[in-house]
Amino acid sequence: MAAADYVEIYKELSMDIEKHEELMSALFQIYPEIFLKQKNRPKGMEYFDWLMSEIHGKRIVELLEIKKQGKPLVGTFCIFVPEEIVIGAGGACYGLCGGAQFSIPDAERDLPRNICPLIKSAYGFKVQRTCPYTQSSDFIYGETTCEAKKKTWELLNKLHPTHVMHIPQMKREREKNLWRQEIYDFKKHIEEIIGRELTFEELKEGIEKINKKREAMQRLDYLRSANPEVVPISSKDGLLVNQISFYDDPDRFTRKVHELCDELEERIEKGISVVPPGTPRIMVIGTPMALPNWKLHHVVETTGGVIINEEACIGHRYYKDNIDIEGAKTVDDLIERMLERYMKIDCACFTPNEERIEKIIRMYKEKKADGIIYYSLSFCHTYNVESKKVIDRTGSRQRAFRS
């Protein structure tokens, strides 16, 4: 269906329909050129193409049905937000629009030009009222992973209810105590929406659902790079699946990723590759690439390379660890396990952050990569500065790419 078929819903969400139509027209022109004209695509990508065609359509209808049931809709910008709690409450936790230049000019009326474009893009979509995910969310959860973000949330809160989670910048015991309390506060906020406390069974179910989703993504990550001679799926398609993981229903997404992976295993066995033998295998490390940011992968693929994984929040950093619930008997036990898992996230906001560098080196060797692109958004100082340490440790084969 076209965006025009959902006009009444957009009106209910107080969206700027004319500007939204302009946005979607541009997206629907770009998507076929970048994705649908690829040769030798796995058939399993048809589902993800369909979801992209309905990303501002049927998926929004599904979310509004959840909201009508009194369940929470939570918009986020960061993988530190414990989505398991939202899912356990029967709600939906999803990423917000922030990967397009389209909304930045409107954001720069309030925000300085020399801050991260992702932040400006996300803020601009709210100013424009062109993101149905933002418009439909009960509230937005921001976080304090950088200075620009935490100050922007103060402005965003004047436009949309915004709750800020304080992310510790170190991983000592005192910081773990702080983060533990933030998780409890998050849980309390969700319980205020549903009008009761979450049970052990509900929270456990939420954790199990997201664990299964991450396991599916771990499987896809492995298959993208398992065979040095066969790359069964393109860089762009791999990135697209990662991006869609932040929008789709987790159960359906998990099922469809496993179906895709079944097909990829068959392609590897048959030697069906999307690139010729000897194509340079590239790892991308650094800042996230929110929808619809596909430019780096498109550039690499159209100049003779292939990206075999992303060490990023939209990528390996998001799905690399599950929550171990073996032996947990109480809600407090589950929260503690959640704490342990989330403190393993190796965001560049942490100091020191040696575990990220060790992970990059390990992944480079395991995936038999030929090179690394360090991708950093303009004015993202945490990743820009940390690139020095990463380059020193990983060697001269690394190249910097900044957008």
Side-chain angles (χ1 to χ4, degrees):
M1 284 187 163
D5 296 312
Y6 302 101
V7 168
E8 292 305 313
I9 291 175
Y10 298 153
K11 287 180 180 178
E12 292 177 13
L13 295 175
S14 300
M15 292 176 60
D16 185 326
I17 297 173
E18 183 176 341
K19 190 171 283 290
H20 178 263
E21 181 63 29
E22 182 183 348
L23 168 68
M24 298 307 290
S25 295
L27 179 63
F28 289 146
Q29 288 178 13
I30 295 171
Y31 190 86
E33 290 294 321
I34 292 180
F35 288 95
L36 302 186
K37 289 188 177 181
Q38 294 180 98
K39 297 180 180 179
N40 197 19
R41 291 181 86 201
K43 184 175 178 56
M45 286 305 301
E46 291 179 0
Y47 167 75
F48 300 97
D49 291 334
W50 170 82
L51 187 66
M52 279 301 299
S53 72
E54 294 288 349
I55 197 79
H56 282 193
K58 288 185 178 179
R59 183 56 186 147
I60 300 300
V61 173
E62 292 175 350
L63 293 175
L64 293 178
E65 285 299 316
I66 292 173
K67 190 170 186 174
K68 288 178 183 178
Q69 298 171 25
K71 305 298 175 61
L73 298 185
V74 181
T76 73
F77 296 102
C78 182
I79 62 173
F80 271 105
V81 177
E83 60 185 307
E84 295 87 355
I85 295 175
V86 183
I87 301 302
C93 185
Y94 45 76
L96 298 176
C97 303
Q101 298 282 339
F102 180 80
S103 62
I104 288 180
D106 289 300
E108 288 178 343
R109 297 173 189 169
D110 298 336
L111 301 176
R113 297 185 66 185
N114 60 340
I115 65 170
C116 168
L118 190 151
I119 296 171
K120 290 189 292 184
S121 177
Y123 181 83
F125 276 117
K126 177 58 196 181
V127 171
Q128 290 181 341
R129 294 178 289 112
T130 49
C131 175
Y133 291 90
T134 303
Q135 295 300 109
S136 61
S137 62
D138 292 298
F139 46 81
I140 295 168
Y141 263 91
E143 82 305 322
T144 58
T145 50
C146 77
E147 296 299 312
K149 276 188 174 184
K150 72 182 185 183
K151 300 308 293 183
T152 299
W153 304 152
E154 296 178 20
L155 303 181
L156 185 62
N157 189 47
K158 295 180 179 180
L159 305 175
H160 197 99
T162 304
H163 179 89
V164 179
M165 299 186 73
H166 180 42
I167 308 300
Q169 308 292 281
M170 301 181 77
K171 294 187 176 181
R172 301 168 300 183
E173 195 60 34
R174 68 188 74 174
E175 281 82 28
K176 290 182 180 179
N177 291 335
L178 182 154
W179 180 231
R180 182 183 294 108
Q181 190 57 53
E182 288 293 319
I183 296 176
Y184 276 108
D185 288 348
F186 182 94
K187 173 175 168 290
K188 182 179 179 181
H189 200 178
I190 298 300
E191 289 170 339
E192 289 173 355
I193 294 178
I194 63 176
R196 58 177 177 79
E197 290 188 5
L198 278 169
T199 67
F200 171 83
E201 289 75 17
E202 288 171 328
L203 185 54
K204 181 172 178 283
E205 182 180 0
I207 291 173
E208 290 173 337
K209 283 188 177 185
I210 301 303
N211 275 353
K212 289 177 181 178
K213 181 174 84 165
R214 292 195 181 108
E215 286 168 1
M217 299 176 74
Q218 291 163 11
R219 184 183 177 198
L220 175 61
D221 178 83
Y222 171 76
L223 292 173
R224 287 175 66 184
S225 59
N227 189 319
E229 300 301 320
V230 180
V231 180
I233 185 171
S234 72
S235 310
K236 289 179 288 193
D237 283 342
L239 173 64
L240 182 66
V241 174
N242 284 343
Q243 291 172 329
I244 286 176
S245 72
F246 292 94
Y247 296 90
D248 200 5
D249 171 79
D251 290 334
R252 181 173 61 200
F253 176 83
T254 298
R255 185 172 67 254
K256 291 298 181 180
V257 172
H258 278 304
E259 290 176 7
L260 173 64
C261 288
D262 290 343
E263 181 181 358
L264 298 186
E265 287 183 347
E266 292 179 6
R267 288 165 71 94
I268 291 173
E269 289 177 4
K270 296 177 181 178
I272 301 174
S273 180
V274 297
V275 295
T279 298
R281 296 157 56 86
I282 308 298
M283 278 177 52
V284 171
I285 65 178
T287 52
M289 304 171 202
L291 271 174
N293 184 351
W294 305 307
K295 57 188 175 184
L296 175 59
H297 287 56
H298 186 61
V299 168
V300 170
E301 285 193 332
T302 54
T303 54
V306 63
I307 294 170
I308 54 175
N309 87 318
E310 299 78 25
E311 181 273 333
C313 299
I314 297 178
H316 189 263
R317 196 176 302 129
Y318 169 62
Y319 53 72
K320 69 184 181 72
D321 298 307
N322 276 351
I323 296 174
D324 180 9
I325 59 175
E326 184 69 29
K329 298 179 181 179
T330 67
V331 168
D332 289 340
D333 289 342
L334 295 177
I335 295 295
E336 199 65 25
R337 304 296 180 83
M338 199 176 295
L339 168 70
E340 293 171 2
R341 185 265 169 193
Y342 277 89
M343 288 302 286
K344 292 179 181 177
I345 295 175
D346 49 16
C347 175
C349 70
F350 286 107
T351 181
N353 198 26
E354 290 299 315
E355 61 186 286
R356 175 175 177 242
I357 300 174
E358 294 297 332
K359 179 193 70 177
I360 291 170
I361 294 171
R362 183 174 63 254
M363 289 170 61
Y364 182 83
K365 293 176 179 178
E366 289 175 351
K367 295 180 178 299
K368 298 180 174 59
D370 298 306
I372 296 173
I373 295 177
Y374 196 107
Y375 177 83
S376 182
L377 291 166
S378 299
F379 308 109
C380 182
H381 301 311
T382 49
Y383 282 94
N384 282 336
V385 175
E386 189 163 281
S387 68
K388 166 64 176 170
K389 293 184 69 175
V390 175
I391 290 172
D392 287 348
R393 289 286 301 279
T394 56
S396 61
R397 299 183 73 184
Q398 183 166 288
R399 296 293 181 266
F401 180 95
R402 289 180 172 84
S403 171

